[in-house]
Amino acid sequence: MQQQSPSSAVGVIGLGAMGMGIASALLEAGLPVIGCDVSASTRDAFVAQGGRSVATPAELAAECDVVVLVVVNAEQVEAVLFGEQGAVAGLAPGSLVIQCATVAPSFARSLGERLTAAGLEMLDAPISGGAAKARSGDLSVMSSGSEAAYAKGQAALEAMAATVYRLGDTPGAGSSVKLVNQHLAGVHIAAAAEAMALGMSMGIDPDTLYEVITHSAGNSWMFENRVPHILKADYTPLSAVDIFVKDLNIVHQTGRELRLSMPVAASALQQFTAASGAGFGREDDAAVIKVYQRLSALELPAANDAQREGEP
C-alpha cells in the first residue's frame, strides 16, 4: 500500500467503554480524532459526539500519525496492526502506535521490535482507571518507550491521562507493571467475593458487613469498589469476568516463563474461570461471587424493583 503523508489526527482503534472514553477525552481536548470499530452503531455514536470514524484500521492509518489501540487482547492487537486491512502497512514512517491493551510483556517486547523494523514508534502503554476516568481524561498510564515516542504522543497522553508513569525506554516495562496491577486486582476481587460469601453464610447483614470492613484493616480498593455491585445485585459489566480470565491467564503464562510459582493468582484464576464456565463471563467481575451461590446455599442480595425495571 502506498503510504500517504501523515496528518496531525489521532486515531483510536477500539471504541468500547474504555476506547470511547479515551476518544471522547481526546476530542474534548481539541485534538482531531478518528475512531475505528467493527460496530457501525458504535462508530455512529462517536460521530454524533463530533468525531470522525472509519470502518477499518487501514483507512484510519491513511489519515493519522498517532494511533491508540484500545482493543481486548494480543490477538486483536495483531489483527488491527498486521492483519488484512491492518494499520501498519498504511502508516507513514515515524508514526506512533500507543498500545493500551493488557498483553504479556514478551508480546509487548516483540511488538516493539516489529514496529521499529517497520519504521514506526511504539509506546507500551497499558491503562488503569476504568471507563469513567477514561472519559474524564484521568487515566493512569503505565508506559515505556523511546524519547521520540513520548514526544510524538505527548498531546494525546496529556489529554487521556492524569498520570503517565515512564517505566523504561523500550516496550515491555509498561506491560510488566500492568501485569502486577492485574494480578493484585484479580486476587483482590476474588478475595472480596469470598469474604462477602463467608460473612453472609454466617448470617451477617451484607450492608453492615460492607460498612464495617470498609472502615477496617481488611479493606481494599477493590472491596470498596466492587462489593456495592453485589449489594445492589447490579452486574452490569464495567469490567467483565472474562477480562480477568484473560489477564490472570497472562499472569500465569508469564509466571511459567519466569519459572515463578504464583498459587494465589492461580486460585483467583480458577474462581474467575468457574464463573465464566457457569455463564457469567460477560457480567461484571463482581459476579465471581456467584460461584459460591452455585456451590452452596448462599443467598445473594436481589435487585430492588427499580433495578428490575431498569430505572436509575
Side-chain angles (χ1 to χ4, degrees):
M1 180 183 294
Q2 182 178 2
Q3 292 174 329
Q4 301 184 29
S5 299
S7 73
S8 58
V10 178
V12 179
I13 300 178
L15 297 175
M18 297 293 287
M20 182 68 82
I22 288 172
S24 301
L26 294 171
L27 196 64
E28 198 168 271
L31 299 175
V33 185
I34 301 174
C36 177
D37 196 272
V38 294
S39 166
S41 61
T42 299
R43 297 196 303 269
D44 291 343
F46 183 57
V47 170
Q49 296 185 42
R52 293 179 54 213
S53 73
V54 294
T56 68
E59 294 174 78
L60 181 143
E63 300 190 58
C64 299
D65 60 351
V66 175
V67 177
V68 185
L69 303 186
V70 200
V71 294
V72 172
N73 53 31
E75 290 74 20
Q76 290 189 5
V77 171
E78 184 75 21
V80 301
L81 289 179
F82 298 102
E84 185 178 357
Q85 295 296 312
V88 165
L91 287 169
S95 295
L96 171 66
V97 175
I98 302 177
Q99 201 301 100
C100 298
T102 300
V103 299
S106 56
F107 177 83
R109 288 190 291 269
S110 173
L111 180 63
E113 292 168 0
R114 295 166 69 191
L115 292 177
T116 296
L120 305 173
E121 297 285 348
M122 173 183 161
L123 281 178
D124 178 22
I127 53 182
S128 181
K133 288 191 176 181
R135 177 61 187 87
S136 64
D138 290 322
L139 292 168
S140 292
V141 179
M142 305 164 215
S143 66
S144 58
S146 69
E147 288 293 337
Y150 280 108
K152 185 79 173 176
Q154 181 177 352
L157 291 171
E158 288 179 351
M160 62 190 273
T163 307
V164 178
Y165 294 100
R166 297 180 61 161
L167 303 165
D169 57 8
T170 58
S175 285
S176 296
V177 174
K178 178 60 186 294
L179 206 58
V180 174
N181 182 80
Q182 294 309 94
H183 175 296
L184 290 167
V187 166
H188 289 173
I189 293 169
E194 185 165 283
M196 288 300 295
L198 173 64
M200 286 186 283
S201 296
M202 294 189 294
I204 302 171
D205 174 71
D207 292 286
T208 300
L209 182 59
Y210 176 76
E211 173 68 18
V212 173
I213 296 301
T214 54
H215 291 86
S216 303
N219 191 32
S220 69
W221 190 93
M222 282 299 187
F223 185 98
E224 193 162 344
N225 184 266
R226 295 306 204 268
V227 171
H229 303 179
I230 298 169
L231 299 178
K232 297 174 184 176
D234 182 359
Y235 298 99
T236 304
L238 301 179
S239 174
V241 163
D242 279 345
I243 293 295
F244 278 99
V245 174
K246 171 185 74 77
D247 289 357
L248 289 172
N249 262 307
I250 297 172
V251 170
H252 199 57
Q253 169 195 331
T254 303
R256 288 198 305 271
E257 292 172 2
L258 297 169
R259 292 180 170 80
L260 177 66
S261 174
M262 288 182 290
V264 177
S267 179
L269 171 59
Q270 288 302 310
Q271 290 302 100
F272 283 106
T273 302
S276 182
F280 309 126
R282 300 179 72 88
E283 295 189 19
D284 187 80
D285 50 36
V288 70
I289 197 171
K290 293 183 179 182
V291 172
Y292 300 95
Q293 185 182 38
R294 286 290 183 95
L295 295 176
S296 69
L298 176 66
E299 184 175 341
L300 294 176
N304 59 35
D305 290 341
Q307 290 168 318
R308 292 192 191 95
E309 295 167 7
E311 298 175 9

